Amino acid sequence: MKKTLAVLLAVGMAASLTACKGSGSSAESAGRASQNQQEAGDTKQENTSASGGSGSYTLKINTALSETDPLFLALTEVFEKTVEDKTNGDVQVEVYSGSQLGTDEDVLEQAIVGAGVGVVTDPGRLSNYVYDIGVLQAPYIAESYEEALKLFETETYKNMETEIENCGFQILSFNYYQGERELFTKNPVAAPADLKGQRIRSSGSQVVTSTLEAMGANTSVLAWSEAYQALQQQVIEGVEVHLSAAVGSSMQEVTKYLAFTGHQQLLTGLVISQSWYSKLPEEYQSILREASFEAGKTASENVIAKNEEYLKTLTDGGIQVVECDKESFKTACDKVYDELNYTEIKAAIDKELGR
């Protein structure tokens, strides 16, 4: 039965991806995601009778975060509760931490073929399907959370969102702010020259890899769940990550220095299967979108409010803050837009935002 299911998923996925640009999907990843989903599902009760609803629909949300992360808490305390309450339990939501359902790419591939799964992911990973959306994660495209939010109000973004839907995804909202991305390293980094020869973990998206390499680093593509061990075993010398995730993954135990490069304002989106979503009653679709937006707003506010607390945890744990030359990193990253052919689309966004 499992072998038959894997074959059917692979065939369905291959057909779906022909309409999307630049996809890196594979049947192997789909099978891996299916196995992870089944194993994770075994850890949660599937019987929905306790909610009082029929449990006609089940949506499994994957995150790479710890269960103490503000984003994870907002998904469980706001999104999950709101959806289940407002649908009288007819839509059940299960939120998973630590990439229990697989990598973002695995879950996205399951979503394409209609599985009831979703993932909180970034524009860089979505650029595997709609290339231009990766510009929203390009270095220094936004200088603050407020400016980053404005990117997702532009007509340029809305056009890309339509393309994403044509690839088989539904974006419920793109307002989950995880913070500013900084460098955590074993050796002090004050300028791009200090990154020469250092191996820094990349998520694998081209925009992240190109950014780190423009800043002077060598890159190693690893799942976030593997970063701690890789640092511990000297496989890599650093990571680029926001403060909440650094605390959640105990980066103070395996790195020594923090440079506030601020090379990215990380806004992520809750992305689910468009096929699964389209089968919901319109009322439920609205409930999911509204609940996602509220969860994103709550998560973002809590991340911002706790940043000082996160920094204290890190420094109390032995992290030293290095005074870095942020402008030199910005200058080094200018070439990324040309390298990735994002110059024109960035100009279109700049024009819309009047900058």
Side-chain angles (χ1 to χ4, degrees), residues 65-66 68-69 224 243-252 310 314:
L65 306 170
S66 70
T68 60
D69 191 278
W224 178 246
L243 298 186
S244 62
V247 170
S249 297
S250 301
M251 286 296 108
Q252 68 273 22
Y310 294 137
L314 292 164

Side-chain angles (χ1 to χ4, degrees), residues 82-353:
T82 300
V83 169
E84 293 183 355
D85 286 348
K86 290 192 173 182
T87 64
N88 295 315
D90 204 21
V91 179
Q92 291 288 300
V93 177
E94 300 174 0
V95 185
Y96 294 88
S97 61
S99 298
Q100 292 181 62
L101 299 184
T103 65
D104 285 10
E105 290 81 5
D106 291 338
V107 179
L108 287 170
E109 289 165 1
Q110 283 289 291
I112 281 180
V113 295
V117 296
V119 62
V120 177
T121 194
D122 56 70
R125 286 189 175 88
L126 292 178
S127 69
N128 288 329
Y129 305 92
V130 176
Y131 183 76
D132 285 350
I133 201 169
V135 73
L136 301 174
Q137 200 176 356
Y140 303 104
I141 187 103
E143 296 285 346
S144 66
Y145 164 60
E146 292 77 16
E147 191 172 15
L149 279 177
K150 292 178 181 178
L151 298 175
F152 294 87
E153 297 172 359
T154 62
E155 287 300 318
T156 301
Y157 165 71
K158 292 175 183 177
N159 291 335
M160 292 187 289
E161 184 178 34
T162 299
E163 291 186 62
I164 288 290
E165 291 177 6
N166 291 339
C167 285
F169 302 116
Q170 177 66 45
I171 299 174
L172 294 181
S173 70
F174 226 116
N175 65 327
Y176 291 81
Y177 182 61
Q178 297 190 41
E180 187 176 271
R181 303 285 276 192
E182 322 292 2
L183 286 176
F184 285 80
T185 54
K186 291 180 176 294
N187 304 302
V189 174
D194 297 326
L195 275 174
K196 185 176 182 180
Q198 293 203 46
R199 293 161 296 176
I200 307 298
R201 177 258 176 188
S202 169
S203 64
S205 76
Q206 187 58 55
V207 67
V208 173
T209 297
S210 293
T211 297
L212 289 170
E213 291 178 352
M215 292 165 68
N218 295 330
T219 55
S220 293
V221 175
L222 294 168
W224 178 246
S225 58
E226 300 172 4
Y228 183 97
Q229 186 175 20
L231 285 161
Q232 198 173 41
Q233 297 178 349
Q234 311 294 325
V235 175
I236 56 175
E237 282 81 47
V239 296
E240 55 96 39
V241 71
H242 44 287
L243 298 186
S244 62
V247 170
S249 297
S250 301
M251 286 296 108
Q252 68 273 22
E253 297 176 359
V254 286
T255 61
K256 295 181 180 180
Y257 300 97
L258 163 60
F260 281 100
T261 53
H263 52 277
Q264 181 191 113
Q265 304 294 328
L266 184 59
L267 267 176
T268 50
L270 179 48
V271 182
I272 67 173
S273 167
Q274 205 282 329
S275 175
W276 182 89
Y277 174 84
S278 68
K279 296 173 184 176
L280 297 174
E282 288 187 14
E283 177 188 2
Y284 289 2
Q285 293 178 357
S286 296
I287 288 170
L288 260 66
R289 291 196 306 270
E290 292 166 6
S292 179
F293 183 84
E294 289 304 315
K297 183 179 178 182
T298 298
S300 301
E301 291 172 350
N302 288 341
V303 163
I304 293 168
K306 295 187 72 172
N307 266 341
E308 289 300 321
E309 177 185 329
Y310 294 137
L311 181 57
K312 186 176 187 304
T313 298
L314 292 164
T315 54
D316 286 350
I319 289 286
Q320 298 180 43
V321 176
V322 178
E323 186 174 343
C324 72
D325 181 3
K326 187 174 179 177
E327 289 302 315
S328 67
F329 284 101
K330 290 176 69 173
T331 300
C333 287
D334 284 344
K335 64 182 180 181
V336 172
Y337 290 90
D338 287 333
E339 288 178 358
L340 299 182
N341 294 317
Y342 283 154
T343 304
E344 289 185 12
I345 195 166
K346 180 181 183 297
I349 290 173
D350 288 344
K351 183 177 180 180
E352 283 194 71
L353 296 180

